[in-house]
Amino acid sequence: RCEACGLPVFTHNLSPCAADRLKDYFMINTLGNPYEDGIAAMSLVCGGVMDAFPKLDVYLPHAGGTFPFLIGRLNYAIGVSPTLKHMKQPAYGYLRRFYYDIITLDPQIMKMVIDLVGVDRVVMGTDFPQGMSVKRPVDFVESIPGISRREKEMILTDNPAKLLKV
């Protein structure tokens, strides 16, 4: 229905898996949420949702969590696992099916995400008022190394407007 209405889907977990193992050292946020983002993206890709709904826009918080960084492993698995023989394209083709926010909390890691997914798939986000939020998102985008003024404008204004169709 979201695809038919041109509405994006925003994913965010309510309670990370293995929360009992992540209760110490703030791991529920540092590990749990990014793991869940990766699980959500992999489930949408491997479950055929992204193929079944080619115009569906999906926004992943926490810069996609583990998903962008494990794409090579998924690509390999598609080539060797019989459970993934239904996949319609290499894993790298699915990276650009998602939008990713800037909540890496590290400008160099954000640059890596941009290099993996393309600057046109990155949108400004804060996760405010949560504990792991980007407190000054514009300043954060300004601090990302190696991107142009135009690319910063895309992240801050153009890409969110495109995603939200405003």
Side-chain angles (χ1 to χ4, degrees):
R1 185 83 177 124
C2 286
E3 181 191 53
C5 292
L7 298 172
V9 172
F10 175 71
T11 65
H12 198 292
N13 67 293
L14 295 175
S15 55
C17 63
D20 57 318
R21 294 179 59 206
L22 303 175
K23 65 182 174 15
D24 296 326
Y25 316 115
F26 208 53
M27 288 191 292
I28 203 93
N29 277 311
T30 57
L31 297 175
N33 289 336
Y35 289 167
E36 285 293 334
D37 301 325
I39 292 168
M42 292 281 262
S43 297
L44 291 169
V45 168
C46 296
V49 173
M50 302 311 286
D51 288 328
F53 301 98
K55 294 181 180 172
L56 180 65
D57 287 324
V58 179
Y59 176 112
L60 298 172
H62 316 115
T66 58
F67 181 65
F69 297 101
L70 297 178
I71 203 71
R73 294 179 66 84
L74 176 58
N75 202 58
Y76 179 83
I78 289 170
V80 299
S81 175
T83 64
L84 295 171
K85 65 181 180 228
H86 66 282
M87 301 296 291
K88 298 193 186 285
Q89 60 181 318
Y92 290 93
Y94 293 98
L95 277 173
R96 293 187 46 77
R97 287 298 317 281
F98 296 94
Y99 282 88
Y100 305 81
D101 69 20
I102 63 167
I103 306 172
T104 61
L105 302 173
D106 183 288
Q108 291 182 346
I109 299 296
M110 194 67 243
K111 176 65 166 105
M112 291 169 58
V113 172
I114 290 168
D115 290 345
L116 283 168
V117 306
V119 71
D120 62 316
R121 305 309 289 181
V122 176
V123 298
M124 198 271 298
T126 73
D127 217 7
F128 181 83
Q130 301 303 317
M132 298 288 289
S133 65
V134 177
K135 306 275 189 284
R136 299 180 58 87
V138 174
D139 291 344
F140 179 81
V141 172
E142 292 288 338
S143 74
I144 300 169
I147 64 171
S148 68
R149 167 72 30 219
R150 177 69 190 119
E151 290 170 321
K152 291 172 184 176
E153 289 172 7
M154 290 172 66
I155 293 167
L156 291 169
T157 60
D158 298 352
N159 298 345
K162 179 181 162 193
L163 174 65
L164 298 173
K165 295 172 181 56
V166 293

